[in-house]
Structures are given as structure tokens and as C-alpha cells.
Amino acid sequence: MEFGFELALCAALEARTDWVLARQLGGGVTDPGGRVVDVVGVVPGPEFDDRARITDRSIPGVAIESAVGVGEPRRPRDALDCHPERVDGVVDAAVDAGFFSAERRGGRRYVRQTTRYPDDWFGRLVGVENKPDLGRPGDLRRQLRLDVSLALFDEVWLATESHVTGAHLNRIPEPVGVWRFDPETGERDVVREAASLPVDGPGVELLDERPLRTDVDVVSADAKRRRRRRIAERAYGKGWRTYDFPACARCAATDDARPHCEHFDAVVDPASDCGADCPGFRPGDAADVDADALRDARTPWRRDPPGVSRRQAGLDRFR
């Protein structure tokens, strides 16, 4: 139920906003994977087109934050702040993405940025927690308390299919906005507006709660800024259509490329719902879906851009 609800919400947001959307991203700083945010919306900023021209992939945060510039090439181990065993992998990913160019001098690899990184490419980050059935809240209250106290996202929303009562609202932190969303029609009604969170200041990350004890970490504004950029980059490269269609004749793609099962007449999660053990399984070819083409056509994200690699004046002297 939650998977289909989540995909329906992503499809509706994609159709009605200019956001770059992704699902299931880490929403912590000290413990990035300790809070997984269901849907992340990246709102384009004034330099979005400059970012889109670089690559359609995620640029590694370590590469962006490194001392590598667009001028003189640097040795990666001197310029990247990460474990030595990670350096080569980060450099390879940045080169593959077109953000670094590499050359060899004296048998050693040197790198430089192919362009200045556009810090203002995204404006706001929106986090959405999906809870179709408020009668089964799970860890909802704790998750939303963390989102509000950490303030990593500019806005946090709860999306639900349930009728929202005053009692529900009283249990949800006041800054959190609430959408009532109908996955069948794509209609989204605002039950309560979200407040803007103080993303430019420090935050408090809830790490663990036990009887008589709560473990927290005070996160600096600079750490939040770096993490926000990494979330935006991850969202840009990942998108929300991250599933593979099953080799089943009864699973077809909707117009927005959600996996719809004819047998159950519902959108299904291929990773957990499909396979030879399914009573509706019928061997066949997987649906032929070009998710990147859809994303390119329906969002500001650009598929396979020309890149920004260029020859810089005077670089010959470094070869």
C-alpha cells in the first residue's frame, strides 16, 4: 500500500511542480541513514541550468568540497578530505560525471574541476513523510520530531490518505504541513500549511530514545549546509523511478511508468511483490520503459547533457 501511494504522490508532484524528485534518501547528518525520508523534492534555484549542463548523475560531495579547483591540477590525495582508500573511487566517479578531468604527470594522476560548482542550483529542499493510514502511525511522531529539530529541509510535509482529525494534528509537530492525497486521482489537498524551518542555523539530531534517556547531537550550520547539498545531488542523480519491471506478462507500465499489475489491479513493488511465487505470475518480457526519457521530458532534469569540459588557457605547461 505504501509503495503504490508513494509512487502516485511522486507522479502527481512531478506533473504539477518543477521539483526534481527522489525517494528513500537519508535525512540525517550525524547518522545519515538513521532517518530515511520517503520523498525529497529539490526546488530549482537560479543556477539550476548551470548544474544541469554538467552531468545527469550525482556529483560526489567529497569532490565538490575538495581543494581541487578549475586552475592548476592537484594530486587527489592532497586535495580530497576522505579516507585514502576512498580517494580513487571518488575521483573516478567525479571524472565519469564530467566534474573532474584527469591527467598524468610523472606516472601520477592529477585532477582539476572542469567548471565552477554552482552552489545556488537548488533553492529549497522539501521532505515528505508518507503515511497513508494514520491509524497505523508507527514511528511517525519521532520521525517528524527529528525533521523539525534538525531542520535539514526547508519544509516538511506529511502525506496521508486518511481523514485528518484535530486529534491527528495535535500529535504532529506544528511546523509540519499535512496533505490529504488521493492516489487514484492525484488530488492533493492542504490540511495544514508547512512552516519554513531554520535551515541556515544549527540543528539538533535525535539519535536514540530510551526510557529516561534521549541521545542527541548538535549539528552545526556548516554541516547541515554540506549535507543539504549532498541530498540535493543524490536526488538529482537518483530520481524516483528506481525499480525494475518484472518479467511478467501481467505487469505493465502506466503512462508515468509505474508498475501496474493486471492480476491485482494495483501498482505493485516488483522487488517484494513479484516473482514466480506470485499467484498472478505469468512469464513474459519485462515492460519496455525508458524512465530517463520520461524524467527528461517531465522535469527540469536533463538527460545526457553535453558537459562542460573545456581546455583552459595555460594547462599545457602542466602536462
Side-chain angles (χ1 to χ4, degrees), residues 12 26 60 76 120 183 192 207 252 281 284:
D120 290 334
R192 183 171 75 189
L207 301 176
F281 179 72

Side-chain angles (χ1 to χ4, degrees), residues 238-258:
K238 183 179 182 182
W240 63 269
R241 297 178 179 92
T242 57
Y243 41 82
D244 294 322
F245 279 78
C248 176
R250 284 180 164 161
C251 188
T254 63
D255 290 343
D256 45 31
R258 289 176 286 156

Side-chain angles (χ1 to χ4, degrees), residues 9-314:
L9 180 61
C10 286
L13 290 172
E14 183 178 81
R16 299 172 189 181
T17 71
D18 63 351
W19 301 354
V20 173
L21 296 160
R23 298 186 302 110
Q24 301 295 308
L25 297 185
V29 178
T30 302
D31 181 14
R35 167 70 172 115
V36 176
V37 178
D38 290 332
V39 177
V40 171
V42 181
V43 182
E47 295 185 299
F48 185 90
D49 289 343
D50 294 333
R51 169 62 186 86
R53 278 193 287 269
I54 299 174
T55 180
D56 55 11
R57 308 181 194 181
S58 301
I59 301 173
V62 173
I64 297 168
E65 296 155 13
S66 72
V68 176
V70 295
E72 180 177 354
R74 299 282 307 274
R75 290 187 60 191
R77 292 182 183 273
D78 296 334
L80 272 66
D81 184 15
C82 64
H83 193 282
E85 293 182 359
R86 291 190 57 211
V87 169
D88 288 342
V90 171
V91 170
D92 289 344
V95 170
D96 287 346
F99 183 62
F100 278 0
S101 65
E103 61 183 71
R104 289 201 171 272
R105 290 192 293 162
R108 293 177 174 176
R109 183 156 69 160
Y110 288 74
V111 294
R112 66 173 178 86
Q113 287 185 15
T114 58
T115 186
R116 178 190 68 83
Y117 183 80
D119 286 311
D120 290 334
W121 74 268
F122 66 95
R124 294 183 297 124
L125 293 183
V126 180
V128 183
E129 178 67 20
N130 295 323
K131 194 61 65 175
D133 183 2
L134 290 180
R136 303 172 61 186
D139 291 334
L140 179 63
R141 188 174 183 181
R142 179 186 181 279
Q143 292 166 333
L144 296 177
R145 283 177 53 220
L146 186 156
D147 294 340
V148 170
S149 65
L150 181 56
L152 194 58
F153 294 87
D154 296 84
E155 293 179 6
V156 174
W157 292 85
L158 168 67
T160 184
E161 195 172 358
S162 296
H163 174 68
V164 183
T165 68
H168 289 137
L169 291 177
N170 288 337
R171 290 193 292 267
I172 298 167
E174 190 172 341
V176 175
V178 180
W179 289 327
R180 191 176 185 199
F181 176 68
D182 185 337
E184 296 299 323
T185 65
E187 293 300 316
R188 178 169 46 101
D189 296 323
V190 177
V191 177
R192 183 171 75 189
E193 286 285 355
S196 295
L197 297 176
V199 296
D200 294 330
V204 177
E205 183 168 354
L206 305 177
L207 301 176
D208 191 22
E209 285 187 298
R210 287 166 283 174
L212 304 179
R213 177 173 174 176
T214 299
D215 295 333
V216 302
D217 190 29
V218 178
V219 179
S220 71
D222 188 55
K224 283 173 54 175
R225 179 184 58 81
R226 292 194 302 270
R227 181 63 185 155
R228 280 167 55 81
R229 184 169 57 204
R230 292 190 180 196
I231 290 172
E233 278 293 338
R234 180 68 175 132
Y236 192 88
K238 183 179 182 182
W240 63 269
R241 297 178 179 92
T242 57
Y243 41 82
D244 294 322
F245 279 78
C248 176
R250 284 180 164 161
C251 188
T254 63
D255 290 343
D256 45 31
R258 289 176 286 156
H260 184 273
C261 175
E262 175 189 85
H263 179 76
F264 293 105
D265 191 23
V267 171
V268 293
D269 182 355
S272 61
D273 299 335
C274 301
D277 293 337
C278 172
F281 179 72
R282 182 185 297 168
D285 293 332
D288 185 13
V289 174
D290 191 338
D292 284 349
L294 276 173
R295 194 180 185 208
D296 185 42
R298 299 180 180 212
T299 76
W301 178 85
R302 289 294 166 260
R303 178 183 190 174
D304 193 22
V308 293
S309 182
R310 63 181 186 272
R311 190 178 186 82
Q312 292 208 338

